[in-house]
Amino acid sequence: MLDERWVFHKDVTPGSGGKGVTRRVLAYSKDLMCVENTFEEGAVGALHHHPHTQITYVVSGEFDFTIEGETKTVRAGDTMLKLNGVEHGCVCKKAGILLDIFNPMREDFV
């Protein structure tokens, strides 16, 4: 899907993003990547860090999100910015979807 102009959700094969998390890598180039993560209630996005800037948009659900040791509850419409190397993770309180944008792309996702 690298550099594909049109990416239709129905054509994207879902993969695992961890227990209770389904990941779909959507459109991407070497410089930018869009990833949809669907969480079941109680699923955990373990604390981690990576050398990418990441913006997360909460499409639906409710999450306790931790960034650099600070935890806040986020819901549909909220966004979070994680700069390169910042530790972050979440716990899904109500099933939902997170949309992640990465710069540059996450080569480990493809």
Side-chain angles (χ1 to χ4, degrees):
M1 302 249 189
L2 178 66
D3 293 333
E4 287 197 30
R5 179 165 292 156
W6 305 96
V7 178
F8 296 97
H9 194 268
K10 67 178 181 62
D11 297 332
V12 177
T13 303
S16 177
K19 185 177 179 184
V21 182
T22 300
R23 176 187 298 144
R24 283 184 173 84
V25 175
L26 305 173
Y28 67 96
S29 68
K30 289 186 177 228
D31 297 321
L32 197 61
M33 176 179 267
C34 183
V35 178
E36 177 193 78
N37 295 288
T38 302
F39 281 74
E40 296 174 5
E41 187 172 314
V44 175
L47 287 173
H48 65 286
H49 59 85
H50 44 73
H52 309 83
T53 294
Q54 175 181 349
I55 293 176
T56 298
Y57 174 77
V58 182
V59 176
S60 62
E62 182 176 302
F63 300 81
D64 284 344
F65 221 101
T66 302
I67 302 172
E68 280 192 309
E70 181 179 11
T71 302
K72 294 190 181 230
T73 300
V74 295
R75 296 172 185 86
D78 295 335
T79 56
M80 289 83 49
L81 172 66
K82 285 92 66 179
L83 298 174
N84 305 356
V86 169
E87 186 176 61
H88 59 280
C90 67
V91 176
C92 182
K93 305 308 265 180
K94 292 182 185 174
I97 297 173
L98 299 177
L99 189 66
D100 289 327
I101 306 298
F102 296 98
N103 173 269
M105 70 170 275
R106 293 281 305 260
E107 291 185 17
D108 55 322
F109 284 4
V110 293

